[in-house]
């Protein structure tokens, strides 16, 4: 295939793994670290918001966010993320990856800082301000998904491309850990300094007045990593594939990639017409649908189904932790103590269940392949969620809390050593350069639509701790995962091949542009260059 490929693209595919690849992973990965921190830290502070702004003495119970307010506080960033994915994904193909890559970070910095502010003192004004800025925070986060995945896939060599894209996404796991860790540290510092009595001893002072600073600080900390990353992100050159294939400037692509890959690349323009001719068809065309329609349906449906389950697990943690014995009942502790225990439980689950799964994918994706990892992950999630659903009454008893925690942790492990990673990798590889960012955005936005179903729908089943409702939710999620397993057969294996070969941009017809039911066999280069 190398003989038909542009020299600059062949150089990218076969370049040895070097420091610039690592730098690109770190720069793109720090964006994902920030994304995960910003999206998931809200789970650690939402109960505190309820205590601070919705306490009603008549109920004789700690303050709690009303269902509608809770759903919006948790879910509004997901609505913003979906919108941002579509807008920035489209812009990434129209204007170039680099031109819009910095805008996402600026938006994230400003809105993370503003999320800790409020216009007024009433519950309505505080929650309203928070929701407004978290929507735009999500909008910036949304842009990071298609742009980071596309940039990483277009920089990487073909033998380590999947591992590098997965490594960028694995920073989400680090971000979730830090969301729990930072919340735990800040709440504990305030707890030591200002800790109040448990609610059943003093209803008023159990909600420490100083706690109003805690949730603001936790949300505003999310601006720091985005701010640090901005300078380095702006120094990255446009990807060689975009410069050569879309802008039609093979000479500039050779110069840019020659610098960063520390090799001399011959500028070559004579084969460019072939690439442009094979890649001119728009997204909304019968040719695109014939070549890539099944892939797009496959990446969109699997990400949609995965995120219903994944976000249900993450966003309902705070409701399930007390059942698992990882957090005390609200009546027996103060507001800051409740936040500390919720954050600690989230940190432990993320460290032991969530985090390892991401890195298992990084290390095994080039050996096992994307297709098999995704099938395995969906299958194992189905099994564990079904067990939790069927045996929930048994598991929620105090003597079986560790069995519950283990099953819960394994579900997270196989989500991440499974479809949560591969649904991010595959759309960055399956589609042509001209629409790669847009197709990734459509797939990711489909995922966030699933996450919104979780935030606005599945959460209704868990908020009151109703055993029957939680059982129903877990069984529903098991069925969702089984559907994800089935729809995985619409995508194909991509490991070991160049992006142009996979997408047909090299002018040849391949099995992968047509029907895609089985991963392609044959010799694959598994090793790190």
């Amino acid at each position: 295939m190398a003989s038909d490929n542009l020299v600059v693209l062949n150089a990218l595919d076969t370049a040895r793994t070097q420091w610039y690849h690592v730098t690109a992973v770190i720069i793109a990965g720090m964006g994902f670290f920030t994304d995960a921190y910003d999206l998931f830290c809200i789970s650690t502070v939402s109960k505190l918001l309820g205590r601070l702004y919705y306490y009603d003495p008549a109920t004789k119970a700690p303050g709690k966010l009303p269902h509608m307010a809770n759903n919006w506080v948790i879910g509004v960033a997901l609505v913003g993320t979906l919108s941002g994915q579509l807008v920035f994904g489209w812009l990434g193909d129209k204007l170039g990856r680099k031109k819009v890559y910095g805008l996402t970070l600026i938006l994230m910095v400003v809105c993370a800082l503003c999320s800790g502010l409020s216009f007024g003192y009433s519950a309505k004004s505080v929650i309203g301000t928070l929701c407004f800025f978290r929507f735009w925070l999500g909008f910036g986060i949304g842009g990071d998904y298609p742009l980071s995945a596309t940039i990483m896939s277009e920089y990487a060599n073909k033998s380590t491309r999947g591992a590098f894209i997965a490594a960028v996404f694995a920073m989400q796991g680090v971000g979730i850990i830090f969301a729990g860790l930072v919340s735990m540290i800040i709440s504990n510092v305030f707890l030591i300094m200002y800790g109040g009595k448990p609610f059943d001893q003093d209803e008023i002072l159990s909600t420490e007045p100083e706690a109003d600073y805690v949730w603001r600080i936790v949300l505003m900390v999310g601006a720091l990593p985005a701010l640090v990353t901005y300078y380095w992100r702006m120094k990255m050159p446009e990807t060689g594939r975009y410069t050569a294939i879309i802008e039609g400037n093979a000479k500039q692509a050779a110069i840019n990639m020659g610098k960063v890959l520390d090799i001399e690349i011959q500028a070559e323009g004579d084969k460019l017409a072939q690439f442009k001719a094979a890649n001119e068809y728009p997204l909304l065309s019968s040719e695109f649908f014939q070549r890539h329609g099944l892939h797009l349906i496959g990446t969109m449906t699997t990400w949609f189904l995965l995120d219903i389950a994944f976000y249900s697990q993450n966003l309902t943690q705070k409701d399930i932790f007390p059942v698992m014995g990882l957090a005390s009942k609200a009546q027996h502790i103060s507001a800051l103590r409740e936040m500390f225990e919720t954050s600690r439980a989230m940190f432990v689950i993320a460290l032991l269940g969530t985090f390892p799964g991401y890195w298992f994918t990084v290390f095994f994706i080039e050996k096992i392949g994307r297709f098999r990892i995704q099938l395995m992950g969906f299958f194992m999630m189905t099994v564990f969620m079904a067990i939790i659903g069927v045996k929930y009454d048994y598991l929620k008893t105090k003597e079986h809390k560790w069995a519950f925690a283990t099953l819960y942790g394994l579900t997270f492990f196989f989500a991440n050593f499974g479809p949560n990673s591969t649904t991010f990798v595959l759309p960055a590889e399956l589609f042509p350069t001209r629409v790669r960012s847009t197709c990734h955005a459509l797939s990711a936005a489909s995922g966030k639509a699933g996450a919104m179903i979780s935030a606005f729908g599945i959460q209704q089943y868990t908020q009151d701790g109703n055993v029957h409702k939680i059982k129903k939710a877990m069984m529903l999620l098991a069925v969702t995962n089984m559907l994800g397993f089935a729809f995985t057969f619409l995508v194909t294996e991509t490991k070991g091949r160049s992006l142009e070969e996979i997408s047909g941009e090299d002018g040849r017809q391949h099995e992968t542009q047509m029907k895609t039911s089985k991963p392609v066999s044959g010799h694959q280069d598994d090793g790190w260059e």
Side-chain angles (χ1 to χ4, degrees):
M1 200 54 57
S3 60
D4 288 332
N5 224 340
L6 283 173
V7 171
V8 66
L9 304 184
N10 193 50
L12 284 166
D13 280 333
T14 56
R16 62 184 174 80
T17 300
Q18 52 200 276
W19 178 243
Y20 191 77
H21 289 111
V22 178
T23 309
V25 169
I26 294 169
I27 294 168
M30 280 305 290
F32 261 85
F33 170 89
T34 310
D35 298 347
Y37 179 92
D38 287 334
L39 284 177
F40 294 110
C41 68
I42 197 69
S43 293
T44 67
V45 302
S46 60
K47 285 197 170 187
L48 182 61
L49 289 167
R51 289 245 201 173
L52 283 165
Y53 295 105
Y54 289 92
Y55 168 62
D56 181 358
T59 61
K60 297 292 182 184
K64 190 175 179 182
L65 284 172
H67 282 193
M68 187 60 76
N70 182 76
N71 290 347
W72 276 105
V73 165
I74 297 286
V76 72
L78 301 175
V79 180
T81 303
L82 187 154
S83 311
Q85 284 164 339
L86 295 173
V87 171
F88 282 110
W90 178 75
L91 287 174
D93 283 334
K94 291 298 173 190
L95 303 178
R97 288 56 162 133
K98 185 194 171 176
K99 282 182 183 171
V100 290
Y101 205 26
L103 289 177
T104 61
L105 282 184
I106 293 171
L107 204 52
M108 285 155 64
V109 170
V110 172
C111 293
L113 290 173
C114 291
S115 293
L117 308 175
S118 52
F119 302 149
Y121 299 97
S122 70
K124 196 173 181 181
S125 63
V126 170
I127 300 301
T129 306
L130 178 61
C131 287
F132 175 81
F133 285 115
R134 279 191 66 79
F135 171 84
W136 290 108
L137 174 68
F139 195 82
I141 289 171
D144 238 32
Y145 276 73
L147 293 171
S148 291
T150 301
I151 284 170
M152 201 64 245
S153 73
E154 292 180 355
Y155 271 133
N157 59 48
K158 64 183 178 183
S159 64
T160 58
R161 185 180 61 236
F164 281 151
I165 303 170
V168 169
F169 193 65
M171 289 301 287
Q172 187 180 76
V174 184
I176 295 171
I177 285 174
F178 267 79
L181 183 63
V182 170
S183 299
M184 191 167 67
I185 291 170
I186 293 170
S187 59
N188 197 40
V189 168
F190 274 75
L191 194 57
I192 292 166
M193 294 169 67
Y194 308 109
K197 293 180 179 179
F199 183 83
D200 50 16
Q201 290 182 26
D202 191 325
E203 292 189 10
I204 304 298
L205 293 179
S206 69
T207 302
E208 301 88 343
E210 294 81 7
D212 196 45
Y213 293 108
V214 174
W215 69 268
R216 298 174 190 274
I217 294 169
V218 168
L219 297 185
M220 292 169 93
V221 164
L224 292 176
L227 197 59
V228 170
T229 313
Y230 181 76
Y231 170 74
W232 297 104
R233 193 169 275 196
M234 288 299 89
K235 283 189 72 176
M236 291 177 84
E238 184 56 85
T239 71
R241 284 183 161 88
Y242 188 89
T243 307
I245 298 174
I246 307 306
E247 293 181 346
N249 193 340
K251 184 178 180 182
Q252 188 61 47
I255 292 168
N256 288 351
M257 293 301 102
K259 283 178 187 172
V260 300
L261 294 174
D262 197 26
I263 51 176
E264 190 173 329
I265 300 175
Q266 171 193 348
E268 183 187 48
D270 56 341
K271 291 180 185 172
L272 211 52
Q274 171 197 342
F275 274 78
K276 289 181 77 65
N279 192 34
E280 283 292 349
Y281 56 90
L283 183 68
L284 299 174
S285 66
S286 58
E287 188 171 358
F288 175 87
F289 188 79
Q290 183 191 354
R291 291 187 179 204
H292 307 288
L294 285 180
H295 291 149
L296 188 57
I297 293 168
T299 57
M300 287 178 71
T301 51
T302 51
W303 205 335
F304 171 76
L305 293 162
L306 176 273
D307 270 12
I308 293 175
F310 184 73
Y311 279 84
S312 293
Q313 287 281 85
N314 267 300
L315 299 177
T316 58
Q317 279 183 356
K318 66 186 189 305
D319 303 308
I320 293 176
F321 285 154
V323 178
M324 291 165 66
L326 292 175
S328 308
K329 290 192 174 172
Q331 283 86 349
H332 306 321
I333 48 177
S334 71
L336 282 173
R337 181 73 197 177
E338 182 178 38
M339 179 178 167
F340 172 75
E341 290 190 2
T342 302
S343 305
R344 182 180 61 188
M346 179 174 163
F347 172 74
V348 170
I349 290 285
L351 189 65
L352 301 180
T354 307
F355 180 74
Y358 283 104
W359 292 99
F360 265 68
T361 302
V362 174
F363 292 125
F364 290 108
I365 194 167
E366 298 298 353
K367 293 179 173 62
I368 302 173
R370 293 78 159 138
F371 183 83
R372 290 188 181 94
I373 287 176
Q374 185 159 310
L375 282 178
M376 174 192 68
F378 269 129
F379 180 77
M380 299 306 286
M381 287 171 73
T382 302
V383 171
F384 292 126
M385 285 189 174
I387 292 171
I388 292 172
V390 172
K391 306 293 287 182
Y392 189 77
D393 301 272
Y394 171 83
L395 292 166
K396 78 182 189 75
T397 57
K398 200 169 185 179
E399 55 269 28
H400 300 119
K401 66 180 181 183
W402 292 112
F404 195 166
T406 302
L407 284 167
Y408 200 69
L410 282 169
T411 310
F412 274 114
F413 176 79
F414 282 105
N416 297 311
F417 184 33
N420 194 39
S421 297
T422 54
T423 53
F424 180 78
V425 175
L426 282 165
E429 299 181 314
L430 285 166
F431 303 105
T433 308
R434 184 175 299 280
V435 291
R436 183 171 292 128
S437 180
T438 303
C439 288
H440 195 284
L442 288 168
S443 305
S446 181
K448 281 301 166 285
M452 285 159 59
I453 287 175
S454 159
F456 295 107
I458 304 294
Q459 280 226 115
Q460 303 280 10
Y461 287 90
T462 63
Q463 277 175 279
D464 298 323
N466 183 304
V467 173
H468 179 67
K469 282 185 175 181
I470 293 176
K471 286 184 76 165
K472 193 182 283 186
M474 296 310 290
M475 292 307 296
L476 195 64
L477 295 177
V479 172
T480 303
N481 289 319
M482 202 65 241
L483 287 171
F485 179 91
F487 278 102
T488 296
F489 287 91
L490 292 177
V491 299
T492 191
E493 187 55 74
T494 55
K495 71 169 184 169
R497 289 181 292 169
S498 76
L499 293 174
E500 289 69 43
E501 181 185 348
I502 295 163
S503 66
E505 289 170 279
D506 56 8
R508 294 189 177 193
Q509 280 290 93
H510 295 283
E511 173 271 341
T512 50
Q513 287 118 353
M514 310 303 285
K515 192 165 175 287
T516 58
S517 57
K518 292 181 182 176
V520 175
S521 59
H523 173 71
Q524 306 288 1
D525 183 359
D526 298 329
W528 291 75
E529 293 279 342

